Amino acid sequence: MTSPQGRLRPEHPHQRRVADLADAFGLVRAGAPVPEDLATTGVTVASGDAAPGDLFVAVPGAHTHGATHAPQALAAGAVAVVTDRAGAEVLGAFDDPAVCAVPVLVTDDPRALAGPLAAELHGHPGRRLTTVGVTGTNGKTTTMYFVEAALRRAHASTVVMGTVELRIGDEAIESPRTTVEAPVVQSMLSRGLEVGATAVAMEVSSHALALGRMNGLELDVAGFTNLQRDHLDFHGDMEGYYRAKAQLFRPGHARRGVVVVDDEWGRRLADEAEIPVDTVATHVGAPEGETADWTVTEADVGLDGVGSTFTLRDPDGALHRAASPLPGLVNVSNAALAVVLAHRAGVPLDVAIDAVGTASGVPGRMERVVERRGGASPRPLCLVDYAHTPDALVLALEAVRPITPGRLVLVFGSDGDRDRGKRPIMGRIAARLADVLVVTDENPRSEDPAAIRAAILDGVREERPALADVHEAVSRTQAIHDALDLATELDTIIITGKGHEPTQEIAGVFHRYNDRDVLRAADAALTAREAQEQTA
């Protein structure tokens, strides 16, 4: 299989009669009859990813019904369509002979059924794997990679599904979103079994839970990091956001949970979870009376910028010395959660602690791209971090401040077509916690980039009316070059908001772009310029 999506499918897929699946899920037959010998080998909700033998699940969308894309799926080899009554009406209006001849199976909620259908078709692969999922606002990616590092100590091969990549064994592709569609989850699990994987680490987004992408998979262990302001354009308010996350901590979605109880949402989740839960407290010096099963009793964020160490008290009261390979108290929290998740997934505690403490860097998460150096070609320490919410920005800047002998230089922006209320908040935080600001774009999407920057600068002015040490760059590449020109070797540059992302969306067009790559190129260009000046 050569296409990226093809590599996520099993090479030797299960085969089921469409009629048997229809009977198993109570699907109502509409349109053309279902031939007795008609078989399916896959499920998809994306017409562009359809392959020969697929069931195309046509779901209602925000603007159009998925049934309008049925001709594309059928042309690619889909053998039947599963949809709702509205979708069946859309299909019935086509005069295309190929569409008229396709069997149509109707259910009330095709999106909710896509995962269970795929799980049944693939023989419920998740039941034969150790599965760990992480949800929350900040820290999902870092925690997931820490967990996967621990799982690899006990499992020869793993599957990874997250924001950065989709990986089966040693083969990886860029991930289109934090949590892929439910049929892709199931096909990846099935493919993982084929190549000898025995464990899975994945991120679980609130969108995924709200849209049923986790349906059909019951995790062995689910983890919760925190809940902070994000995605309110989708969920409406924090209560709606919380309820989406809380779905993961119910029977059918997970068998047990591990919840960080440092914020009110974590404490509420621990109380309301419908499955057994371990609680983890990671804020050293929490008020008396606040108890947890696992507690970080002391932490040293380190001054070398490489990592942090901490002491973790287990439910029996024993103390364990542990570490995070990334700096800052936020990564102490991520590491402590990962240790407990991996342990509850079957990894011996001492092994989990060692694996997390020595895990390799996480792409776009406190990633050290340029090291601090003096001499003939001095440079500041330069990091790239995904922090794109107000709370994440606070944590990132607080993590970097102790390892910065000079000024803290921040390159940041805010997304278009998303929660507009956080833009001035980000500006206020940046003005308060960083010394030099370079305000630029993240993903403007369909919005005017200048208007987004103006909203951020409104927040900056509330803290710095004179806009001292505040700069505006109309391109993200220029912002990075400006930061390098402004900084000395005693300073630290942190570029936030995009992290690992391989593209930037401007006016609806995705351009290849990555902060790390641009930073390295800018450093190389500056080095070349310095060398030329020295020889001139």
Side-chain angles (χ1 to χ4, degrees), residues 350-378:
D350 59 338
V351 174
I353 289 172
D354 182 67
V356 170
T358 57
S360 57
V362 181
R365 272 65 179 175
M366 284 296 171
E367 185 174 1
R368 300 166 71 97
V369 180
V370 176
E371 293 293 339
R372 193 186 313 283
R373 63 180 186 263
S377 183

CSV table of all heavy atoms in Angstrom, one decimal, residues 350-378:
chain,number,residue,atom,x,y,z
A,350,ASP,N,8.8,1.0,38.9
A,350,ASP,CA,10.2,1.4,38.7
A,350,ASP,C,10.6,1.6,37.2
A,350,ASP,O,11.4,2.5,36.8
A,350,ASP,CB,11.2,0.5,39.5
A,350,ASP,CG,11.2,-0.9,39.0
A,350,ASP,OD1,10.1,-1.3,38.4
A,350,ASP,OD2,12.1,-1.6,39.2
A,351,VAL,N,10.1,0.7,36.4
A,351,VAL,CA,10.4,0.7,35.0
A,351,VAL,C,9.7,1.9,34.4
A,351,VAL,O,10.3,2.7,33.5
A,351,VAL,CB,9.9,-0.6,34.3
A,351,VAL,CG1,10.0,-0.5,32.8
A,351,VAL,CG2,10.6,-1.8,34.8
A,352,ALA,N,8.5,2.2,34.7
A,352,ALA,CA,7.7,3.4,34.2
A,352,ALA,C,8.5,4.7,34.6
A,352,ALA,O,8.6,5.6,33.8
A,352,ALA,CB,6.3,3.4,34.7
A,353,ILE,N,8.9,4.8,35.8
A,353,ILE,CA,9.6,6.0,36.3
A,353,ILE,C,10.9,6.2,35.5
A,353,ILE,O,11.2,7.3,35.0
A,353,ILE,CB,9.9,5.9,37.8
A,353,ILE,CG1,8.6,6.0,38.6
A,353,ILE,CG2,10.9,6.9,38.2
A,353,ILE,CD1,8.8,5.7,40.1
A,354,ASP,N,11.7,5.1,35.3
A,354,ASP,CA,12.9,5.3,34.5
A,354,ASP,C,12.7,5.6,33.1
A,354,ASP,O,13.3,6.5,32.5
A,354,ASP,CB,13.7,4.0,34.6
A,354,ASP,CG,15.1,4.1,33.9
A,354,ASP,OD1,15.9,4.9,34.4
A,354,ASP,OD2,15.2,3.4,32.9
A,355,ALA,N,11.7,5.0,32.5
A,355,ALA,CA,11.4,5.2,31.1
A,355,ALA,C,10.9,6.7,30.8
A,355,ALA,O,11.3,7.3,29.9
A,355,ALA,CB,10.3,4.3,30.6
A,356,VAL,N,10.0,7.2,31.7
A,356,VAL,CA,9.5,8.5,31.5
A,356,VAL,C,10.7,9.5,31.8
A,356,VAL,O,10.8,10.5,31.0
A,356,VAL,CB,8.4,8.8,32.5
A,356,VAL,CG1,8.0,10.3,32.6
A,356,VAL,CG2,7.1,8.0,32.1
A,357,GLY,N,11.5,9.3,32.8
A,357,GLY,CA,12.6,10.2,33.1
A,357,GLY,C,13.6,10.3,32.0
A,357,GLY,O,14.3,11.3,31.9
A,358,THR,N,13.7,9.3,31.2
A,358,THR,CA,14.8,9.3,30.1
A,358,THR,C,14.1,9.3,28.7
A,358,THR,O,14.8,9.0,27.7
A,358,THR,CB,15.6,8.0,30.2
A,358,THR,OG1,14.8,6.8,30.2
A,358,THR,CG2,16.4,8.0,31.6
A,359,ALA,N,12.9,9.7,28.6
A,359,ALA,CA,12.2,9.7,27.3
A,359,ALA,C,12.8,10.8,26.4
A,359,ALA,O,13.3,11.8,26.9
A,359,ALA,CB,10.7,10.0,27.5
A,360,SER,N,12.8,10.5,25.1
A,360,SER,CA,13.4,11.5,24.2
A,360,SER,C,12.5,12.7,24.0
A,360,SER,O,11.3,12.6,24.5
A,360,SER,CB,13.6,10.8,22.8
A,360,SER,OG,12.4,10.3,22.3
A,361,GLY,N,12.9,13.7,23.4
A,361,GLY,CA,12.2,15.0,23.3
A,361,GLY,C,10.8,14.7,22.5
A,361,GLY,O,10.7,13.9,21.7
A,362,VAL,N,9.9,15.6,22.9
A,362,VAL,CA,8.6,15.5,22.2
A,362,VAL,C,8.5,16.6,21.2
A,362,VAL,O,8.8,17.8,21.5
A,362,VAL,CB,7.5,15.7,23.3
A,362,VAL,CG1,6.1,15.7,22.6
A,362,VAL,CG2,7.6,14.7,24.4
A,363,PRO,N,8.2,16.3,19.9
A,363,PRO,CA,8.2,17.3,18.9
A,363,PRO,C,7.3,18.5,19.2
A,363,PRO,O,6.1,18.4,19.5
A,363,PRO,CB,7.7,16.6,17.6
A,363,PRO,CG,8.0,15.2,17.9
A,363,PRO,CD,7.8,15.0,19.4
A,364,GLY,N,7.9,19.7,19.2
A,364,GLY,CA,7.2,21.0,19.4
A,364,GLY,C,6.7,21.2,20.8
A,364,GLY,O,5.9,22.1,21.0
A,365,ARG,N,7.3,20.5,21.8
A,365,ARG,CA,6.9,20.7,23.2
A,365,ARG,C,8.2,21.0,23.9
A,365,ARG,O,9.1,20.1,24.1
A,365,ARG,CB,6.3,19.5,23.8
A,365,ARG,CG,4.7,19.4,23.6
A,365,ARG,CD,4.3,19.3,22.2
A,365,ARG,NE,2.9,19.3,22.0
A,365,ARG,CZ,2.3,19.3,20.8
A,365,ARG,NH1,3.0,19.4,19.7
A,365,ARG,NH2,1.0,19.3,20.7
A,366,MET,N,8.4,22.3,24.3
A,366,MET,CA,9.7,22.7,24.9
A,366,MET,C,10.9,22.1,24.1
A,366,MET,O,11.9,21.7,24.7
A,366,MET,CB,9.7,22.3,26.4
A,366,MET,CG,8.8,23.1,27.2
A,366,MET,SD,9.4,24.9,27.3
A,366,MET,CE,8.0,25.6,28.2
A,367,GLU,N,10.8,22.2,22.8
A,367,GLU,CA,11.8,21.6,22.0
A,367,GLU,C,13.0,22.6,21.8
A,367,GLU,O,12.8,23.7,21.3
A,367,GLU,CB,11.2,21.2,20.6
A,367,GLU,CG,12.2,20.5,19.7
A,367,GLU,CD,11.6,20.0,18.4
A,367,GLU,OE1,10.4,20.2,18.2
A,367,GLU,OE2,12.3,19.4,17.6
A,368,ARG,N,14.2,22.1,22.2
A,368,ARG,CA,15.4,22.9,22.1
A,368,ARG,C,15.9,22.9,20.7
A,368,ARG,O,16.3,21.8,20.2
A,368,ARG,CB,16.4,22.5,23.1
A,368,ARG,CG,15.9,22.5,24.5
A,368,ARG,CD,16.9,21.7,25.4
A,368,ARG,NE,18.2,22.4,25.6
A,368,ARG,CZ,18.5,23.1,26.6
A,368,ARG,NH1,17.6,23.3,27.6
A,368,ARG,NH2,19.7,23.7,26.7
A,369,VAL,N,15.8,24.0,20.0
A,369,VAL,CA,16.2,24.0,18.6
A,369,VAL,C,17.6,24.6,18.4
A,369,VAL,O,18.4,24.1,17.6
A,369,VAL,CB,15.1,24.7,17.7
A,369,VAL,CG1,15.5,24.7,16.2
A,369,VAL,CG2,13.7,24.1,17.9
A,370,VAL,N,17.8,25.7,19.1
A,370,VAL,CA,19.1,26.3,19.0
A,370,VAL,C,19.7,26.4,20.5
A,370,VAL,O,19.0,26.9,21.3
A,370,VAL,CB,19.1,27.7,18.4
A,370,VAL,CG1,20.5,28.4,18.4
A,370,VAL,CG2,18.6,27.6,16.9
A,371,GLU,N,20.9,25.9,20.7
A,371,GLU,CA,21.4,25.9,22.1
A,371,GLU,C,22.1,27.3,22.3
A,371,GLU,O,22.6,27.9,21.4
A,371,GLU,CB,22.4,24.8,22.2
A,371,GLU,CG,21.8,23.4,22.2
A,371,GLU,CD,20.9,23.1,23.4
A,371,GLU,OE1,21.0,23.8,24.4
A,371,GLU,OE2,20.0,22.2,23.2
A,372,ARG,N,22.1,27.7,23.6
A,372,ARG,CA,22.7,28.9,24.0
A,372,ARG,C,24.2,28.7,23.8
A,372,ARG,O,24.8,27.7,24.2
A,372,ARG,CB,22.4,29.2,25.5
A,372,ARG,CG,22.8,30.6,25.9
A,372,ARG,CD,22.6,30.8,27.4
A,372,ARG,NE,21.4,30.3,27.9
A,372,ARG,CZ,20.2,31.0,27.8
A,372,ARG,NH1,20.1,32.1,27.1
A,372,ARG,NH2,19.1,30.4,28.3
A,373,ARG,N,24.8,29.8,23.2
A,373,ARG,CA,26.3,29.7,23.1
A,373,ARG,C,26.9,31.1,23.0
A,373,ARG,O,26.2,32.1,22.6
A,373,ARG,CB,26.7,28.9,21.8
A,373,ARG,CG,26.2,29.5,20.5
A,373,ARG,CD,26.7,28.6,19.3
A,373,ARG,NE,26.4,29.2,18.0
A,373,ARG,CZ,25.3,28.9,17.3
A,373,ARG,NH1,24.4,28.0,17.7
A,373,ARG,NH2,25.1,29.5,16.1
A,374,GLY,N,28.1,31.2,23.4
A,374,GLY,CA,28.9,32.5,23.3
A,374,GLY,C,29.9,32.4,22.2
A,374,GLY,O,29.7,31.7,21.2
A,375,GLY,N,31.0,33.1,22.3
A,375,GLY,CA,32.0,33.1,21.3
A,375,GLY,C,31.8,34.0,20.1
A,375,GLY,O,31.1,35.0,20.2
A,376,ALA,N,32.4,33.5,19.0
A,376,ALA,CA,32.3,34.4,17.8
A,376,ALA,C,31.0,34.4,17.2
A,376,ALA,O,30.6,35.3,16.4
A,376,ALA,CB,33.4,33.8,16.8
A,377,SER,N,30.1,33.4,17.4
A,377,SER,CA,28.8,33.4,16.9
A,377,SER,C,27.8,33.1,18.0
A,377,SER,O,27.2,32.0,18.1
A,377,SER,CB,28.7,32.2,15.8
A,377,SER,OG,27.4,32.2,15.2
A,378,PRO,N,27.6,34.1,18.9
A,378,PRO,CA,26.7,33.9,20.1
A,378,PRO,C,25.2,33.7,19.7
A,378,PRO,O,24.8,34.3,18.7
A,378,PRO,CB,26.9,35.2,20.8
A,378,PRO,CG,27.3,36.3,19.8
A,378,PRO,CD,28.1,35.5,18.8
